[in-house]
């Protein structure tokens, strides 16, 4: 396991690099919103790798692997449509976790569960396959929440 101090220093440097690569769009998608666009992070492999590494350090510091069963710190990464799909699968691979996509209603086959959530400019619905996450699994939800800074909670 790496030194927590060196991980914190690495994360600080990564955050600085990543922040400087974002684009800002005032009043998008509605007046009063300052939208932080993450898409430039995917234009260069080094920035994409830095994003995944920063997320990995953050998740591991919050949910470290255990020395006793079930061993993993995180079992499942849930990626919210659509931008959570951009880095969720890569983060899941780095952490040795599964990936579960959460979509807008009507996009997934089979039995699903859905939940309504509030955005800064209205309400919407998310849906996932009912058996995608097993009871007791440790889950981390990823999305590009830079626009609002809010956490979206996917309830049962």
């Amino acid at each position: 396991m790496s030194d927590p101090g060196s991980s914190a220093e690495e994360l600080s440097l990564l955050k600085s690099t990543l922040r400087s690569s974002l684009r800002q769009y005032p009043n998008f998608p509605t007046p009063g919103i300052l939208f932080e666009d993450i898409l430039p992070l995917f234009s260069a492999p080094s920035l994409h790798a830095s994003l995944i590494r920063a997320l990995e350090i953050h998740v591991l510091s919050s949910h470290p692997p255990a020395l006793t069963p079930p061993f993993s710190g995180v079992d499942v990464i849930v990626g919210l449509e659509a931008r959570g799909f951009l880095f969720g699968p890569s983060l899941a691979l780095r952490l040795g976790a599964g990936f579960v996509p959460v979509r807008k209603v009507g996009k997934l086959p089979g039995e699903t569960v859905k939940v309504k959530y509030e955005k800064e400019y209205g309400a919407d619905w998310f849906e996932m396959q009912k058996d995608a996450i097993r009871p007791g699994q440790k889950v981390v939800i990823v999305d590009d929440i830079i626009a609002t800074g809010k956490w979206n909670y996917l309830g049962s």
Side-chain angles (χ1 to χ4, degrees):
M1 181 172 270
S2 65
D3 172 27
S6 66
S7 292
E9 185 176 311
E10 181 183 4
L11 182 57
S12 179
L13 292 170
L14 289 167
K15 283 181 177 182
S16 178
T17 299
L18 294 167
R19 263 192 212 104
S20 69
S21 301
L22 300 174
R23 284 186 293 217
Q24 294 184 340
Y25 292 93
N27 300 311
F28 180 83
T30 60
I33 301 295
L34 176 60
F35 187 84
E36 296 277 357
D37 185 11
I38 67 166
L39 293 180
L41 301 179
F42 298 97
S43 66
S46 63
L47 289 173
H48 188 174
S50 293
L51 173 62
I52 300 305
R53 177 63 180 146
L55 291 169
E56 177 186 24
I57 292 169
H58 177 74
V59 169
L60 288 175
S61 69
S62 302
H63 307 284
L67 297 176
T68 57
F71 302 111
S72 66
V74 175
D75 299 307
V76 177
I77 298 293
V78 168
L80 304 181
E81 186 172 347
R83 293 189 178 172
F85 295 0
L86 295 175
F87 46 86
S90 299
L91 178 60
L93 283 173
R94 289 287 290 266
L95 296 172
F99 177 75
V100 172
V102 170
R103 309 270 332 253
K104 302 282 172 81
V105 172
K107 304 275 185 174
L108 293 170
E111 191 174 357
T112 61
V113 293
K114 67 180 179 179
V115 64
K116 184 177 181 180
Y117 68 97
E118 298 293 327
K119 301 186 291 188
E120 68 277 8
Y121 45 88
D124 211 339
W125 290 86
F126 272 142
E127 187 172 51
M128 72 177 206
Q129 291 175 322
K130 187 173 182 178
D131 61 353
I133 299 171
R134 293 184 309 277
Q137 286 189 303
K138 293 177 237 159
V139 176
V140 170
I141 300 171
V142 296
D143 191 22
D144 69 323
I145 59 172
I146 296 171
T148 64
K150 295 179 184 177
W151 285 98
N152 289 320
Y153 172 72
L154 181 64
S156 54

